[in-house]
Amino acid sequence: MTAGTAGSPEVGPVQLLEKHRATLDQALETIRSRAYWSPHPEHPKAYGEGGTLSAEEGRAAFEELRGSRFELPGQPGGDGWTATESSPYGIALDIEYPHVDVGTLLPAMRLGMPAWREAGPEVRAAVCLEILARINARTHEFAHAVMHTSGQAFLMSLQAGGSHAQDRGMEAVAYAYAEQTSTPRTAEWSKPQGKREPLELSKSFTAVGRGVSLLIGCNTFPTWNGYSGLFASLATGNPVLVKPHPRAVLPLALTVRIAREVLSATGFDPNLIALAAEREGEGLAKELALHPQVRVIDYTGSTAFGDWLEAHATQALVHTEKAGVNTVVVDSTDDYQGMLANLAFSLSLYSGQMCTTPQNLLVPRDGIDTDEGAKSFDQVVTDLAGAVDKLLGDDARANALLGAIVNAQVGERIDAAGSLGEVALASRAVTHPEFPDATVRTPVIVKLEATKPEAEAAYLSECFGPVSFAVAVDSTPEAVRLLRRTVREKGAMTVAGYTTSPEMEQLIEDACLEECAQLSLNLTGGVYVNQTAAFSDFHGSGGNPAANSALCDGAFVAGRFRMVEVRRPA
Amino acid sequence: MTAGTAGSPEVGPVQLLEKHRATLDQALETIRSRAYWSPHPEHPKAYGEGGTLSAEEGRAAFEELRGSRFELPGQPGGDGWTATESSPYGIALDIEYPHVDVGTLLPAMRLGMPAWREAGPEVRAAVCLEILARINARTHEFAHAVMHTSGQAFLMSLQAGGSHAQDRGMEAVAYAYAEQTSTPRTAEWSKPQGKREPLELSKSFTAVGRGVSLLIGCNTFPTWNGYSGLFASLATGNPVLVKPHPRAVLPLALTVRIAREVLSATGFDPNLIALAAEREGEGLAKELALHPQVRVIDYTGSTAFGDWLEAHATQALVHTEKAGVNTVVVDSTDDYQGMLANLAFSLSLYSGQMCTTPQNLLVPRDGIDTDEGAKSFDQVVTDLAGAVDKLLGDDARANALLGAIVNAQVGERIDAAGSLGEVALASRAVTHPEFPDATVRTPVIVKLEATKPEAEAAYLSECFGPVSFAVAVDSTPEAVRLLRRTVREKGAMTVAGYTTSPEMEQLIEDACLEECAQLSLNLTGGVYVNQTAAFSDFHGSGGNPAANSALCDGAFVAGRFRMVEVRRPA
């Protein structure tokens, strides 16, 4: 296929719509009800039949990719190859991706826009759902790709990087469809003029994309954090240029290749999506972000670069998820063991390398009331450390929960944590039976005094990785004041609270409503503050410094297209 | 009433909801159907009964305001008085408005946010509709206020500045309500866990405003261009600070005073809306726009300041309507007289001082086909000049259509137009029988050659006021190429086309879809390219340099609030 031209479709729009309309309708219903739903199984054994890759097939497909050139047939502007990944599990990937000349690629990406616009929101949604269906069929392959770029453990890679990411993508497709179709395709307008003939016009309304949409991927959650923006932009008529993190190219490269295949098969220009893998130290994101043809940006990563994008890429609509400092207010509980177990799991999952992992545990200096009686500050911290130890005592379970440390900086932060205060729980290294070169570390918990200036400097900075601070505060109201300040100054993706007091609950809730942060209260079972479910939970609020948008809501999709009206006499 | 406190309500939420629910439902239905609807009569005689001001009462109320101090009881931060208006009709206004200390006012405006948030989207919508109903009852008073600040003729002031502005406000309330209520207030979430008990959470979702919303008003359409942003922000939970144009304070001051009365009467803090009138040359908009507590901005005015806002007010969500260069492509017509009459009216209405008035009429050098036979370029221009002359031949009708020139710069542009090319229609001064000091001018039409560099400099700049250019082009496809370039480089609020050729129609339509501009085709009757109807037409596209948003769509309201979720075990 020649770049910029579409072949005759293997799959027609009618077939596609028939295949996916019921799923789209269910997704549309669920973003309104926000009940539980997912069409993407999260159990590994759910795959292997009906054209989906089994565990063995997924692993084999991944092994096939290692040490190879990742071809993207027909993608214009190729000017060489680049390989920048290294598995946090220590195995060689050695996958080369095409490097592109942006000046050639960007104009070519726009050529398919008219046909993609003319297809309309429903066909675009069906094409997006077909892409997601084909990604879903290869969930096991994606699991390995996510595992060996992010360092997530296998099961988490399969769930968060596979089915849950697919859910987020579908959620964005549903929001995009709903927002575009809230204006009718045509309207007849008749304005009475008293005894004279009415004024009459026929109007048509067409959703048009803004232009090229740039996805700047992240290292830790390349698919989960990337799919909302990718599918929201594609579904609203925009070509999508994917610039992955240089350490996490494969999951997005697979995504782009599958999407290009589906676009071709359905008669659209495959260049509506393209991959821009960069060379080591190239700084391609900065160059692309300021390009006049780039009109939408989705970014997940550091606060510094996110702030830079918001300030400088003013030609584009910029959606950012940056860093925050997540707080847990511990006031009281009627399920002490449940609270400890829940928090221990939250701190341990993916070694705290989630933007949603709690960092500061604010506990009153005089202790808390629990169903097991009063517990002093020290006791709470000791018991939490014990809960983490118990959770991770078995190396097999520790490896399954922790995954690998994604880069050396995280390791350095773990090692430096001891200098910040009294260590309540020291980090230990865990050996991975299959990947002996992986760096696997358990969390460290450091005790701090809220009012000490040097402590404040520590707990008011994001310390990305498995480092958390048990901060002694004067009282719960004081904890809530500190929570407010933290959210306002540093941002927060999540807030958690434990309390049996209606007054304290209201205090925490009001703080979150006013400072605009998502709150989880009294989680003691199998739901964790760091996890959000697509179709039901909002990820981030978009209203505090941690992020300027939320996954996913109307605002996330509404600006990606404009409605062009043509009116004529009826 | 003390600033920052709410009295006990005179009108309860239940009463308000009963009163306005049917209207809200109709508005919600109409933004979906985009059929014709308005609850605000545009005929002057429709007013005078049912608690609405008659023509005489409206005039008397306006006269009462002249030469007085405009009090805003309870508005905090007052530090003096300012009077900056002068009627384009030459009468003295001498109205003094409170000047405020922003550092005192802004924090006070936030005090009412929690109760306003807790009220929820439905009560907020009902309060907004009550404000609009009370404004509507005083439409005749507003008509005089708009007339003597903008220079619009009386009937236009009553319609565009009164009922149509109220429509735009209500449309924004409907969009705000729809967007906020697309997420349910609560949800029960139950995730199956195979043979184990399902995971269950109770979730609540609360729409929270971003913070203080700043409305920067314009001189020509203080209410019409202001109400969408004002009501969208108020309805989504934000306090609104209104900074009117120093020459058009009164219409927005009246609006603020009515809104404060309604907020008080319904038990909310009146400081949820406030007026910041500035002193001559104070530059208050710039100071307010960068204030960290200002989180949303709505602006209508010059491109220079709009671009500055977009680049610098990065702490806020910025909605701009700037200037553009509006084009008419004249290819052919089957109603030559209808086309001429329609264009003549468009050029004359409010002396071309509308952001939607056509500026460049692109006509093929070899002439066009019409139902009256072939017409040469010169003939078309001569006939259009004749149509304008005929339309404005009678001074009474001319005054009723033209209104007054809003400021001296517009007058200077009219006088300078003759130096740009051959004058096809000269502007004449019209005497106003009631207001002899008003500057009333008919439009000027200048012929230009598309390809001459000095002509290009003229027609590719916005020449605000009753100056239009009849530009000779090689062909219709050449006109469309110039249209594309104009929209891309200069932006456009409107595009019009006249053609009987399906091929040329497609060419024009494709250009508008790709360059993102709103198109009116073959208007020959009583609908004009410069007019858009709320609930049905989009004003601007938000996708070209003339504006970054459209009135009104989901994107215009969706970012003004964030959804805060609280989840707890079920």
Side-chain angles (χ1 to χ4, degrees):
Chain A
M1 172 163 294
T2 315
T5 64
S8 91
E10 298 156 28
V11 189
V14 175
Q15 287 165 273
L16 264 192
L17 288 172
E18 275 173 12
K19 182 175 174 190
H20 296 294
R21 184 71 231 192
T23 307
L24 177 61
D25 287 340
Q26 184 63 55
L28 289 164
E29 189 187 313
T30 313
I31 59 173
R32 296 293 173 248
S33 72
R34 305 198 84 79
Y36 172 78
W37 178 67
S38 169
H40 304 118
E42 61 181 16
H43 198 294
K45 291 188 182 157
Y47 297 94
E49 309 215 331
T52 65
L53 297 189
S54 67
E56 295 69 30
E57 290 165 335
R59 178 186 286 268
F62 168 70
E63 290 299 338
E64 190 76 17
L65 292 163
R66 291 176 62 194
S68 76
R69 280 198 164 168
F70 192 100
E71 305 274 355
L72 285 169
Q75 177 170 301
D79 64 1
W81 296 86
T82 176
T84 51
E85 294 165 305
S86 57
S87 167
Y89 288 94
I91 65 168
L93 293 178
D94 293 333
I95 307 174
E96 285 191 313
Y97 302 93
H99 187 274
V100 291
D101 171 60
V102 169
T104 307
L105 179 60
L106 281 173
M109 293 184 72
R110 293 181 54 90
L111 297 178
M113 283 185 79
W116 190 233
R117 177 186 78 228
E118 284 304 312
E122 193 178 13
V123 168
R124 284 196 295 271
V127 171
C128 287
L129 294 199
E130 179 64 20
I131 296 169
L132 283 165
R134 294 200 194 179
I135 289 172
N136 178 251
R138 290 163 65 174
T139 293
H140 270 284
E141 182 183 0
F142 273 88
H144 290 282
V146 170
M147 176 180 177
H148 285 289
T149 49
S150 71
Q152 290 175 29
F154 180 76
L155 186 62
M156 182 171 172
S157 298
L158 184 135
Q159 293 182 339
S163 42
H164 301 170
Q166 295 151 23
D167 285 347
R168 282 285 175 204
M170 188 177 288
E171 176 191 57
V173 173
Y175 269 102
Y177 178 83
E179 200 70 32
Q180 291 172 92
T181 55
S182 71
T183 302
R185 187 70 189 82
T186 61
E188 298 301 315
W189 182 85
S190 175
K191 180 175 179 177
Q193 298 292 293
K195 290 174 188 164
R196 286 174 293 147
E197 288 292 297
L199 299 174
E200 297 194 321
L201 291 175
S202 289
K203 304 179 179 188
S204 71
F205 303 94
T206 306
V208 305
R210 277 194 178 267
V212 175
S213 182
L214 173 66
L215 171 65
I216 305 175
C218 73
N219 195 355
T220 47
F221 288 91
T223 54
W224 197 97
N225 272 98
Y227 279 6
S228 299
L230 188 159
F231 284 98
S233 276
L234 201 56
T236 50
N238 302 285
V240 178
L241 180 56
V242 176
K243 205 298 290 172
H245 191 283
R247 300 276 172 276
V249 183
L250 185 58
L252 290 175
L254 284 169
T255 304
V256 168
R257 190 154 72 183
I258 292 169
R260 291 175 60 86
E261 285 163 8
V262 171
L263 285 162
S264 288
T266 51
F268 295 102
D269 188 339
N271 295 330
L272 286 167
I273 188 162
L275 184 77
E278 65 186 320
R279 298 205 173 92
E280 201 63 63
E282 184 178 352
L284 184 57
K286 219 162 184 166
E287 177 190 342
L288 288 171
L290 299 181
H291 197 289
Q293 288 197 6
V294 169
R295 304 300 311 282
V296 181
I297 297 175
D298 289 279
Y299 167 77
T300 308
S302 74
T303 297
F305 192 60
D307 288 346
W308 182 89
L309 285 171
E310 290 173 19
H312 292 89
T314 49
Q315 90 290 353
L317 198 66
V318 178
H319 307 90
T320 59
E321 184 190 318
K322 302 171 286 187
V325 173
N326 303 319
T327 297
V328 185
V329 174
V330 183
D331 170 73
S332 51
T333 178
D334 58 10
D335 181 2
Y336 188 54
Q337 294 305 323
M339 177 183 87
L340 295 172
N342 189 282
L343 284 175
F345 189 96
S346 283
L347 298 181
S348 302
L349 186 63
Y350 187 27
S351 299
Q353 297 170 119
M354 301 175 74
C355 57
T356 50
T357 304
Q359 176 178 303
N360 296 341
L361 311 161
L362 310 186
V363 185
R365 186 171 294 106
D366 296 337
I368 66 169
D369 285 330
T370 80
D371 55 319
E372 299 182 5
K375 301 285 177 183
S376 68
F377 172 82
D378 282 337
Q379 191 64 50
V380 171
V381 180
T382 303
D383 290 345
L384 178 60
V388 174
D389 258 345
K390 187 177 147 199
L391 180 69
L392 305 176
D394 173 67
D395 273 9
R397 187 156 69 170
N399 275 307
L401 257 186
L402 294 168
I405 296 302
V406 67
N407 62 41
Q409 291 76 49
V410 175
E412 288 160 17
R413 256 177 244 127
I414 299 171
D415 296 334
S419 68
L420 299 170
E422 181 191 338
V423 174
L425 175 68
S427 173
R428 72 179 176 91
V430 180
T431 303
H432 198 292
E434 193 184 352
F435 303 107
D437 293 338
T439 304
V440 182
R441 297 288 299 267
T442 65
V444 55
I445 302 177
V446 175
K447 284 196 219 180
L448 297 174
E449 262 295 334
T451 49
K452 289 202 176 148
E454 70 276 18
E456 188 177 300
Y459 67 70
L460 278 181
S461 303
E462 195 211 20
C463 190
F464 184 77
V467 178
S468 58
F469 301 116
V471 184
V473 292
D474 284 345
S475 64
T476 300
E478 196 51 49
V480 174
R481 269 190 289 276
L482 181 51
L483 163 67
R484 280 182 182 268
R485 181 180 164 204
T486 306
V487 176
R488 197 178 305 173
E489 294 180 9
K490 301 296 167 179
M493 294 301 292
T494 62
V495 175
Y498 289 90
T499 182
T500 57
S501 150
E503 292 74 26
M504 292 304 115
E505 184 170 322
Q506 193 63 53
L507 211 60
I508 298 168
E509 194 168 342
D510 285 348
C512 288
L513 287 167
E514 280 160 37
E515 304 303 334
C516 213
Q518 310 296 17
L519 172 64
S520 298
L521 278 169
N522 297 319
L523 295 184
T524 54
V527 177
Y528 306 98
V529 63
N530 19 0
Q531 296 176 321
T532 62
F535 305 111
S536 184
D537 293 320
F538 292 108
H539 174 72
S541 77
N544 71 56
N548 79 356
S549 52
L551 304 183
C552 185
D553 61 10
F556 188 73
V557 301
R560 293 173 196 260
F561 68 96
R562 304 280 72 216
M563 204 48 91
V564 173
E565 176 181 353
V566 181
R567 53 183 191 172
R568 1 166 113 74
Chain B
M1 174 163 293
T2 314
T5 64
S8 90
E10 299 156 28
V11 189
V14 176
Q15 286 165 273
L16 265 192
L17 287 173
E18 275 173 12
K19 182 174 174 190
H20 295 296
R21 184 72 231 192
T23 308
L24 177 61
D25 287 340
Q26 185 64 53
L28 288 164
E29 189 186 315
T30 313
I31 59 173
R32 296 293 173 248
S33 73
R34 304 198 84 79
Y36 171 78
W37 177 67
S38 169
H40 304 119
E42 60 182 17
H43 197 294
K45 291 188 182 158
Y47 298 94
E49 310 215 330
T52 64
L53 296 189
S54 68
E56 296 69 30
E57 290 165 335
R59 178 186 286 269
F62 168 71
E63 290 299 337
E64 190 74 18
L65 291 164
R66 291 176 62 195
S68 77
R69 280 200 164 169
F70 192 100
E71 304 273 356
L72 285 170
Q75 177 170 300
D79 64 0
W81 297 86
T82 176
T84 51
E85 292 164 308
S86 57
S87 168
Y89 288 93
I91 65 168
L93 293 178
D94 294 334
I95 307 174
E96 285 191 312
Y97 302 92
H99 187 273
V100 291
D101 172 60
V102 169
T104 307
L105 179 60
L106 280 173
M109 293 184 72
R110 293 180 54 90
L111 298 178
M113 283 185 80
W116 191 232
R117 178 187 78 229
E118 284 304 313
E122 193 177 15
V123 169
R124 284 196 296 271
V127 171
C128 287
L129 294 199
E130 179 64 20
I131 296 169
L132 283 165
R134 295 201 193 180
I135 289 171
N136 178 252
R138 290 163 64 174
T139 293
H140 270 285
E141 182 182 0
F142 273 88
H144 290 282
V146 170
M147 177 180 177
H148 285 288
T149 49
S150 71
Q152 290 175 31
F154 179 76
L155 186 62
M156 182 172 172
S157 298
L158 184 134
Q159 293 181 338
S163 41
H164 301 171
Q166 295 151 22
D167 285 347
R168 281 287 175 204
M170 188 177 289
E171 176 191 56
V173 173
Y175 268 102
Y177 177 83
E179 201 70 33
Q180 292 172 93
T181 55
S182 71
T183 301
R185 187 71 188 82
T186 60
E188 298 301 315
W189 183 85
S190 175
K191 180 175 177 177
Q193 298 292 293
K195 290 174 187 162
R196 286 174 292 147
E197 288 292 297
L199 298 174
E200 296 194 323
L201 291 174
S202 288
K203 304 180 177 187
S204 73
F205 302 94
T206 306
V208 305
R210 275 193 179 269
V212 175
S213 182
L214 172 67
L215 171 64
I216 305 175
C218 73
N219 194 354
T220 47
F221 289 91
T223 54
W224 198 97
N225 272 98
Y227 280 4
S228 298
L230 189 159
F231 284 98
S233 276
L234 201 55
T236 50
N238 302 285
V240 177
L241 180 57
V242 176
K243 205 298 290 173
H245 192 282
R247 301 277 171 275
V249 183
L250 185 57
L252 289 175
L254 285 169
T255 304
V256 168
R257 190 154 72 184
I258 292 169
R260 290 176 61 86
E261 285 163 9
V262 171
L263 285 163
S264 289
T266 51
F268 296 101
D269 187 339
N271 295 329
L272 286 167
I273 189 163
L275 184 77
E278 65 187 319
R279 298 205 173 92
E280 200 63 62
E282 183 178 354
L284 184 56
K286 218 161 183 166
E287 177 190 341
L288 287 171
L290 298 183
H291 197 289
Q293 287 196 6
V294 169
R295 304 300 311 281
V296 181
I297 297 175
D298 289 279
Y299 167 76
T300 308
S302 74
T303 297
F305 192 60
D307 287 346
W308 182 89
L309 284 170
E310 290 173 19
H312 292 90
T314 49
Q315 90 290 353
L317 198 66
V318 177
H319 308 89
T320 60
E321 184 190 318
K322 302 171 287 187
V325 173
N326 302 320
T327 298
V328 185
V329 174
V330 183
D331 169 73
S332 52
T333 178
D334 58 10
D335 181 2
Y336 188 56
Q337 294 305 324
M339 177 183 87
L340 294 172
N342 189 282
L343 284 175
F345 189 97
S346 283
L347 298 180
S348 303
L349 185 64
Y350 186 29
S351 300
Q353 298 171 117
M354 300 175 75
C355 58
T356 50
T357 304
Q359 175 178 305
N360 296 341
L361 311 161
L362 310 186
V363 185
R365 186 171 294 108
D366 296 337
I368 65 169
D369 285 330
T370 81
D371 56 318
E372 298 182 6
K375 302 286 178 183
S376 70
F377 172 82
D378 283 336
Q379 191 65 49
V380 171
V381 179
T382 304
D383 290 345
L384 179 61
V388 173
D389 258 346
K390 187 177 147 197
L391 179 70
L392 304 177
D394 173 68
D395 272 8
R397 188 156 69 171
N399 276 308
L401 258 185
L402 294 168
I405 296 301
V406 67
N407 62 41
Q409 291 76 50
V410 175
E412 287 160 17
R413 256 177 244 127
I414 299 171
D415 295 334
S419 67
L420 299 170
E422 181 191 338
V423 174
L425 175 69
S427 173
R428 72 179 176 92
V430 180
T431 304
H432 198 292
E434 193 183 352
F435 303 108
D437 294 338
T439 304
V440 182
R441 298 289 298 268
T442 66
V444 55
I445 302 177
V446 175
K447 283 197 221 180
L448 296 174
E449 263 295 333
T451 49
K452 288 199 179 149
E454 69 276 18
E456 188 177 297
Y459 67 71
L460 278 181
S461 304
E462 196 211 18
C463 189
F464 184 79
V467 178
S468 56
F469 301 117
V471 183
V473 292
D474 284 345
S475 63
T476 301
E478 197 51 48
V480 175
R481 269 189 289 276
L482 182 51
L483 163 65
R484 280 182 182 267
R485 182 181 163 202
T486 307
V487 177
R488 198 178 306 172
E489 293 180 9
K490 301 295 166 180
M493 294 301 293
T494 61
V495 175
Y498 289 90
T499 181
T500 57
S501 151
E503 291 74 28
M504 292 304 114
E505 184 171 322
Q506 193 63 53
L507 210 59
I508 298 168
E509 194 168 340
D510 285 348
C512 289
L513 287 167
E514 281 160 36
E515 304 303 335
C516 212
Q518 309 297 18
L519 172 64
S520 298
L521 279 169
N522 298 318
L523 296 184
T524 55
V527 177
Y528 305 97
V529 63
N530 20 0
Q531 297 176 321
T532 63
F535 305 110
S536 184
D537 293 321
F538 293 107
H539 173 72
S541 76
N544 70 58
N548 79 356
S549 52
L551 305 181
C552 186
D553 60 11
F556 188 73
V557 301
R560 293 172 195 261
F561 67 97
R562 304 279 73 216
M563 205 47 91
V564 173
E565 176 182 353
V566 181
R567 53 184 190 170
R568 357 166 116 73

